[in-house]
Amino acid sequence: MADVFTVLAKDHEEVKRMLAELEKGPTQATEASQDQLAQRKTMTEQLIIEESKHEALEEMYFWPAVREHHPAGNTLADEATGQEQEAKEVLDKLDAGDPEFDKLLGTFTGAARKHIAFEETQVWPGLRSVLPAETAADLGTKIAEGKKTAPTRPHPHTPPSPGVLKTAGPAVAAADKARDRATGRGSD
Ligand SMILES: [Fe+2]
Ligand SMILES: [Fe+2]
């Protein structure tokens, strides 16, 4: 099984790929066809689903490990979870049918790239040198497995504390999935 850095890096690559794709357009302003706009809506939903799962799982498993093992763990985790909360507020408003969509997407894209770079360059190197291999493997498994039951919506008003997420997470995720099924969201 892949370790935590490999699992998270794969997610980051996927998110960056989706952002680049959305950034390419065409957009409402550049006269996208109905089909292209529908595709953009599906891609946006997929981005929100992937991002929501990724950040919720980091908050449940990754940041507690950073706090425990990294010498500057508390400072780094506070900074990163603050970035994640801000991103969730934007994601929560991101709707491909909204006239403000492209502006919000631009805000989200810039913030998401910075956040990923922060994790990969400010947090991972120090953590790699102190995290026991066994713990890195265990966290990788938990995060990969957790994808199946993680929330698929951003929930900016749920506190990003691992305790709250572990207790409330499954019910929240089940409600998200029921809403997804009812609306056909993320189904393709
Ligand atoms: Fe994150
Ligand atoms: Fe991340």
Side-chain angles (χ1 to χ4, degrees), residues 47-57 88 91 150-155 176 185:
L47 171 72
I48 296 171
I49 292 170
E50 291 310 320
E51 258 295 297
S52 300
K53 289 184 181 183
H54 177 82
E55 304 302 3
L57 289 162
K88 283 186 221 170
L91 268 191
T152 61
R153 293 175 192 263
H155 303 288
D176 283 352
R185 175 181 183 262

Side-chain angles (χ1 to χ4, degrees), residues 12 54 58 119:
H12 287 177
H54 177 82
E58 281 184 343
E119 292 180 340

Side-chain angles (χ1 to χ4, degrees), residues 12-173:
H12 287 177
E13 288 315 306
E14 182 61 12
V15 166
K16 285 197 276 187
R17 189 194 61 75
M18 288 192 271
L19 291 174
E21 196 69 30
L22 279 164
E23 211 170 33
K24 264 200 287 177
T27 67
Q28 286 167 338
T30 56
E31 294 180 0
S33 68
Q34 282 308 313
D35 273 5
Q36 286 167 327
L37 287 178
Q39 223 178 13
R40 219 166 150 70
K41 183 172 158 53
T42 305
M43 215 187 298
T44 304
E45 285 171 353
Q46 210 54 52
L47 171 72
I48 296 171
I49 292 170
E50 291 310 320
E51 258 295 297
S52 300
K53 289 184 181 183
H54 177 82
E55 304 302 3
L57 289 162
E58 281 184 343
E59 284 162 12
M60 276 190 258
Y61 300 110
F62 183 70
W63 298 118
V66 171
R67 289 183 194 279
E68 188 185 336
H69 296 275
H70 195 298
N74 284 332
T75 310
L76 292 169
D78 287 347
E79 167 74 27
T81 46
Q83 295 171 358
E84 288 168 5
Q85 280 303 103
E86 280 176 32
K88 283 186 221 170
E89 279 167 28
V90 181
L91 268 191
D92 202 35
K93 293 187 209 130
L94 204 58
D95 173 353
D98 188 321
E100 291 285 285
F101 174 73
D102 289 305
K103 202 173 130 210
L104 276 176
L105 180 68
T107 306
F108 178 75
T109 302
R113 286 185 178 136
K114 267 196 207 144
H115 176 63
I116 288 174
F118 179 81
E119 292 180 340
E120 293 188 357
T121 65
Q122 308 293 308
V123 184
W124 293 9
L127 187 67
R128 265 184 214 278
S129 60
V130 293
L131 196 66
E134 217 173 276
T135 312
D138 179 51
L139 288 170
T141 306
K142 284 194 172 113
I143 292 174
E145 291 285 312
K147 287 287 169 79
K148 292 176 212 148
T149 50
T152 61
R153 293 175 192 263
H155 303 288
H157 306 297
T158 303
S161 102
V164 170
L165 283 165
K166 279 179 186 154
T167 314
V172 169

